[in-house]
Structures are given as C-alpha cells and as structure tokens.
Amino acid sequence: MALDLHTVTSRRRADMVDRLTTDGVLTDSLLRDALLRLPREVLLPHAYVRVSGPGADPIDWRLLDGSHPDDRQEWLDLIHSDESILLQRDGEPLDALPRGPVTGGHMTSMSTYTPATIEALQAMELGPEQRYLELGPGPGVSLALAAAVTGPGLATGVERDGPMAAFAQRNLDRLGVGAEVIEGDALEGHQARAPYDRIHSGIGVPCVPVPWMEQLAPGGRLLTTLATRTPSWPGQLLVTRTAAGTVEAVLRGRPRGYRPLLGYRWLNAVDHRARIKDDPGTARSTPLTPPPDDAYGFWLAAAYLAPGLVRDFQAETMTIVAPEDDSWAVAGPGNGAVRVHGPRDVWAELETLHARWEQAGQPERYRVDLRDSSGAQHVTSGAGSKALSWTLPPLTAVPRQAP
C-alpha cells in the first residue's frame, strides 16, 4: 500500500534530522523540534537542477515540480538533502513556473544548504520571545525555523525581490508560524520593528551596514557573511552587543558562505581553465607546501591581503588565479614545486602572506572594530607589530542593481 505524501515527508524530515544530529551539525533541541515540525516541502514546492557543466553559457536547467508524480521522488530527495535549493532565475514570477527543461538565466534566489542554516541559527543562540530579523530570507526556510523557535509575531524578513517576497509570505502563511516578509532593501534593515535581539543576514556584504548595527538590541547578536571578490574564502562575522551597549565583533574563515548582495561581482577562474591546462606556467621551487583547505584563517586573510585571487577547486592540484591580471599559480607536482604564469607572481604573494600569518600566530579568528568615527571598519588578528590587519571595503563600493 502506497504511503500518503504527509507520511512520506514526515519520515524524510525525521531521517534528515537524524542525519544532521549524527553528523554533529544539529545540537539545539529547540531547533531540532522546529525542523521536525515544519514541512519544508511547503516552502520549497519546486527546484531547479542544473544540467549544463561549469562555464556553460547559456545554462541548461530542469525544473522539478513537487506536485508532479514523475518529479516527486527526485524533488523529495533534493529538498531533504544538504544541497542548496535553486528556486528563481532572473527575478522571475514564481506563481506558474513550467516544469521540465529550460535554457538561460542565472539564479537570483535559493535556499541555503541546511547545515549552514542550522549552524547560523545555533551560532546566534536563538531562543523563545526573541525579536528576530532575517535579511534576504529568500523562500523563508530559516525565517520559518526562527519563527518556530521565537514564537509567532516576532520573526520578520526583509526581501528586495517582490515575487520572492510574495512567494515566501504565501507559503509561510500556509505553515501558520506567524512570520512576516516585508518587501524592501535588506541593507536598510527594518526600523519599524527595531530593536532586534537577533539579526541574521542571508546575503553577503563587504562590511556591516550602519542600520543593522543601529537596530541591534542590547544583548543582541548579528550574524552575516562578509563578501570579498572571491567566493573561495568567505568569512563569517558574529557581532554581539552587550547589555551595557558595548559592541564586539569576531570574524572567522568558513568553508562556504552566503552569496553576495545583488550587483556584487565575483571573480571566477572558469574562463582561464583551458589556458591553464595548456600552459600551467614556468616551474620553480617553493618553500610553501600548499596550505590545507581548512586553514580558514590563512585563506580568509588571503582574500583581503592578496586581493583579486580566486581558487579553482575543480583543478587536480591547487590552482590560484588572478583573472584580472592574467596570472596564475599551479602547485606541484609534489611538494616543493609550483608553476607560475603571468605578470603577477601569485604564489610569491601567498608565500609572503603565509610567513606573515605564521608570525602572527596562525590566527583563525580576527577582531573587527565597527566603531571608527570615520565609518571605516577595521580588522586585526591582535596587538603588536606582527598582527595581520586590513580595512573592510565600504558598502558604497558595491553597485546595487535591479534584477
């Protein structure tokens, strides 16, 4: 006898929660209960699957419709997996998307992969009766979870994309969690309901917008991704305001982060891939063994102190590209060797920076001063002449464009 959809999805949620718990990702009991209670299929009724390989233009997609029996199994597997769920191309309306193959467009909204959502909500120490603000909630998965923990009427989202805001609100209303999505500019926060005990940004920003800080309540926590021009080495910033009003901010490197705000242009290595394969560069010796991927403190510093670099994670050996300088470095073969190409010696910059990082004590976390009277936001690994330090780029440096 075939099981009804409600029974199937309940079991899928339970399996997902068990997996996340076993993997050590999910540790908060309130969040665990929320994940078990909320039918995520209501918030994610469809999903795009990319068919084209990397670098294809235009891109071929396939839309899975969760209500269609031929798509249901794949759709259920996807929305209960640890993958990001792609939902919208080029700001399109979401009321009647055609099922099946479609060509062209770029993703403008998605649901972040579940482990990242859980880690973010747990890092903020979310609890009942807290006023919660979600910036760039997309389809509202993390907003719904937050509302289930805080209680109805306390969770608000600000979404600049009109069709996505309407889509998310309609589905949240079906869940009955008491969350509201406001169409507006997430960079401005939402003053009408401030101050907030918890602020979570689902978009990466180059620095912390002033309204976010102004709307954070005493005892509050704010969590965001700091976006650089490279997607390779993201940073996660946790801001806390003490009961006395003092602001403390800590920046850490992470394996993955949120996409940057609309209009922010990432560098990429795809256009150089074929050329690098044909000519990996001139071989030379190096004292630098390729740093491990989980040396997040080093790679985060590289994003700022060796700007303009991007990692090609699909390459067989570590490959770092400076696309705007037509330069690259390919590690190997073997330790002690590297191949370099172009006017910019990418690997020499990393050698120098790695030595500085070691002299600074191999920092994995950095303190951020958000209180400079000039408006600048400064990052440092600590005190002393050997500390690594830099200034975050201003928000005005990022072009903000309509979809």
Side-chain angles (χ1 to χ4, degrees):
M1 180 178 177
L3 298 175
D4 64 87
L5 183 60
H6 173 74
T7 301
V8 170
T9 55
S10 295
R11 289 184 178 180
R12 287 299 188 94
R13 288 198 302 278
D15 290 342
M16 178 186 70
V17 168
D18 286 345
R19 181 183 72 251
L20 293 167
T21 303
T22 300
D23 291 345
V25 174
L26 178 59
T27 58
D28 184 273
S29 60
L30 294 176
L31 192 54
R32 176 187 173 88
D33 291 343
L35 281 163
L36 287 170
R37 291 200 317 270
L38 294 178
R40 61 199 292 109
E41 66 273 12
V42 173
L43 299 171
L44 305 170
H46 68 267
Y48 281 103
V49 176
R50 179 168 176 149
V51 178
S52 299
D57 189 17
I59 301 171
D60 290 328
W61 311 92
R62 183 164 54 90
L63 183 84
L64 301 176
D65 181 348
S67 66
H68 196 284
D70 291 345
D71 289 347
R72 187 163 296 149
Q73 186 66 41
E74 185 177 359
W75 167 72
L76 286 172
D77 289 343
L78 183 59
I79 68 171
H80 292 94
S81 72
D82 291 344
E83 299 298 320
S84 296
I85 311 301
L86 311 178
L87 290 155
Q88 182 195 47
R89 295 176 307 137
D90 299 331
E92 65 190 343
L94 296 159
D95 295 328
L97 295 177
R99 170 183 172 266
V102 62
T103 297
H106 296 84
M107 286 297 143
T108 49
S109 188
M110 64 183 64
S111 177
T112 303
Y113 63 108
T114 303
T117 297
I118 292 170
E119 289 171 1
L121 294 176
Q122 290 181 158
M124 289 189 296
E125 300 180 358
L126 195 64
E129 304 302 321
Q130 292 175 344
R131 293 159 295 180
Y132 177 86
L133 179 64
E134 177 92 9
L135 303 160
V141 173
S142 55
L143 182 60
L145 291 169
V149 172
T150 65
L154 294 171
T156 304
V158 180
E159 172 62 53
R160 70 176 298 165
D161 185 280
M164 180 54 68
F167 174 81
Q169 187 66 70
R170 181 170 62 249
N171 294 332
L172 287 164
D173 288 345
R174 289 180 59 194
L175 292 180
V177 293
E180 184 173 359
V181 179
I182 308 295
E183 182 180 347
D185 188 347
L187 298 181
E188 300 297 329
H190 187 58
Q191 180 61 39
R193 295 183 180 175
Y196 301 94
D197 302 299
R198 299 292 184 267
I199 299 177
H200 175 226
S201 171
I203 54 176
V205 288
C207 64
V208 182
V210 172
W212 297 5
M213 293 301 305
E214 294 176 340
Q215 295 170 26
L216 185 63
R221 288 187 163 218
L222 183 159
L223 190 73
T224 187
T225 292
L226 286 189
T228 66
R229 295 196 63 206
T230 171
S232 306
W233 309 305
Q236 184 185 76
L237 181 68
L238 177 63
V239 181
T240 57
R241 187 186 296 280
T242 68
T246 302
V247 173
E248 299 174 354
V250 176
L251 177 63
R252 304 173 191 267
R254 302 292 295 163
R256 290 194 276 187
Y258 296 135
R259 292 174 64 85
L261 69 163
L262 193 66
Y264 202 95
R265 299 305 181 208
W266 268 341
L267 298 170
N268 75 79
V270 173
D271 293 341
H272 286 74
R273 189 171 289 157
R275 293 179 57 204
I276 295 171
K277 183 176 180 180
D278 292 340
D279 178 16
T282 303
R284 68 168 174 84
S285 61
T286 175
L288 177 62
T289 299
D293 292 345
D294 61 359
Y296 301 127
F298 168 71
W299 293 117
L300 177 63
Y304 290 98
L305 298 177
L309 303 183
V310 62
R311 168 91 178 268
D312 185 355
F313 282 100
Q314 296 190 23
E316 292 182 1
T317 63
M318 182 175 287
T319 301
I320 312 291
V321 184
E324 294 181 337
D325 298 298
D326 198 34
S327 303
W328 55 79
V330 179
N335 292 335
V338 65
R339 288 166 289 179
V340 295
H341 171 91
R344 181 176 176 183
D345 192 334
V346 169
W347 199 257
E349 293 181 38
L350 294 179
E351 289 171 337
T352 299
L353 178 58
H354 194 268
R356 291 180 58 198
W357 181 67
E358 289 187 320
Q359 290 171 1
Q362 300 184 354
E364 290 297 319
R365 49 182 280 168
Y366 299 85
R367 181 173 55 83
V368 185
D369 183 359
L370 303 174
R371 298 165 295 176
D372 190 305
S373 59
S374 70
Q377 299 178 4
H378 302 287
V379 183
T380 181
S381 64
S385 60
K386 295 182 179 180
L388 297 178
S389 61
W390 61 86
T391 300
L392 297 178
L395 195 62
T396 53
V398 182
R400 288 158 58 184
Q401 304 173 358

